[in-house]
Amino acid sequence: MDGAGGIGGRRQRLALELRRLRDQAGVTGRELAQEVGISQSKVSRIESGTAMPSVPEVRKWTLAVGAPRETGERLIELTEAAHQEVQTWRTALQEQGHFQERLRDRELRSHLVRNLQTAVVPGLLQTAEYARRVFALFELPYTDDDLSAAVAARLRRQLALYEEDRRFDFLICEGALRWRPGPARVLAAQLDRISSLSTLDNISIGIVPADAEAIALPLHGFVMYEGDDEGCETFVEVETTHARVVAARSEEVALYDKQWRRLSDVAIFDDEARAFLAALITEVRGGAGDRRAGGGTTVTGSHRGPTTGSGRTHPPGPRRGTPPTRRW
């Protein structure tokens, strides 16, 4: 995934090719925008690699600049390939010590980030000690310097959580909350931080209880990024053991959106989620055997409260509004 701002190397090659063709044809960005049917700002974003054109847009682009048929067909193939990128961790770590700055760039270009995690607490919610221990367990070991830099950069990423014009929605499976990368005190502090962050107006944190009836099969976690204008499209990133996978085709993104909404239907939010976390903290610290005993913390059954269009449970009032209309 080469390039400071793009999803992947293929995207950057596509951007360079499209820019080169326009320059050779002597067509201005405004003229091309009119021919393709997009804004001039999107033309600029496509050429810089921060926006991904669709196949029809690339086809119109090549026709507008008079590119040979063979060139057009090659660029269409490159566009299709760029909509799904895979980069191994081994290759990526040879290019840079960690990925936090790249992730921060993507988050800052998105007005909505939806993060589902099934096995570990999302990085944006991690405490410093929890994050350090997570990085230390990485299959391809970090050097001491890179590990420290990665932790510091992850904490810098978290500053975006306090920007009120950005929205972050999290779904965390109970198993991820129970996974313990260190002593009980580390996990207890981590759970307490999640509870605290859940009170921010621009953050929604849902917990999927282990005893909730399954209506979806989350094989892995994923992160969905939605841009803040037409020049930044929606795409999904999935981290596997050996590589990072990016899906940007609309039909692929729709699959993840469907799974998100299904899991939202069985998740608990707000006061109920915080009560769940408080009981789990007590259990982790050894003060209680069963988190459901005492305090009235019950996480099974139907939602208590109104739901939004995505199935999330929110309390009455203006704090949470209906999620933004999707572009796909």
Side-chain angles (χ1 to χ4, degrees), residues 104-176:
R104 180 174 179 268
D105 181 60
R106 294 176 191 178
E107 289 155 358
L108 291 178
R109 294 204 316 272
S110 303
H111 76 86
L112 173 63
V113 177
R114 291 194 284 174
N115 191 322
L116 165 71
Q117 293 301 325
T118 62
V120 64
V121 169
L124 283 172
L125 304 180
Q126 291 176 6
T127 64
E129 181 62 14
Y130 187 101
R132 185 182 70 80
R133 291 174 180 272
V134 168
F135 285 127
L137 291 172
F138 198 62
E139 291 296 331
L140 297 175
Y142 285 88
T143 65
D144 290 342
D145 288 344
D146 285 342
L147 190 150
S148 297
V151 173
R154 173 158 288 181
L155 297 182
R156 285 195 297 273
R157 282 174 55 205
Q158 295 175 2
L159 294 175
L161 297 174
Y162 305 101
E163 298 181 17
E164 295 182 352
D165 60 336
R166 302 185 188 281
R167 181 164 183 89
F168 297 87
D169 291 354
F170 299 91
L171 286 177
I172 312 173
C173 294
E174 181 178 344

Side-chain angles (χ1 to χ4, degrees), residues 149-319:
V151 173
R154 173 158 288 181
L155 297 182
R156 285 195 297 273
R157 282 174 55 205
Q158 295 175 2
L159 294 175
L161 297 174
Y162 305 101
E163 298 181 17
E164 295 182 352
D165 60 336
R166 302 185 188 281
R167 181 164 183 89
F168 297 87
D169 291 354
F170 299 91
L171 286 177
I172 312 173
C173 294
E174 181 178 344
L177 297 174
R178 289 182 170 276
W179 183 72
R180 208 177 82 180
R185 61 175 175 78
V186 173
L187 182 56
Q190 177 61 73
L191 297 174
D192 184 67
R193 173 166 174 76
I194 294 172
S195 181
S196 176
L197 289 171
S198 73
T199 64
L200 293 175
D201 287 348
N202 63 316
I203 292 178
S204 171
I205 298 179
I207 298 172
V208 181
D211 60 1
E213 182 177 351
I215 59 174
L217 180 60
L219 297 175
H220 49 71
F222 58 83
V223 182
M224 302 181 67
Y225 298 91
E226 180 168 327
D228 55 8
D229 57 41
E230 67 167 311
C232 293
E233 81 286 4
T234 296
F235 63 95
V236 177
E237 285 193 341
V238 179
E239 293 186 354
T240 70
T241 300
H242 80 290
R244 181 190 300 272
V245 180
V246 174
R249 293 191 179 108
S250 59
E251 62 271 21
E252 293 169 344
V253 173
L255 292 175
Y256 290 97
D257 178 61
K258 182 178 181 180
Q259 185 167 93
W260 176 278
R261 294 176 184 275
R262 285 181 171 177
L263 290 170
S264 294
D265 284 338
V266 297
I268 57 175
F269 294 85
D270 303 307
D271 289 342
E272 189 176 5
R274 285 186 284 273
F276 184 102
L277 289 167
L280 186 51
I281 290 171
T282 300
E283 178 185 332
V284 168
R285 288 173 173 165
D290 184 355
R291 71 181 184 280
R292 288 171 176 74
T297 304
T298 303
V299 297
T300 58
S302 60
H303 283 303
R304 276 65 66 185
T307 60
T308 66
S310 65
R312 295 194 299 255
T313 300
H314 297 321
R319 175 185 169 190

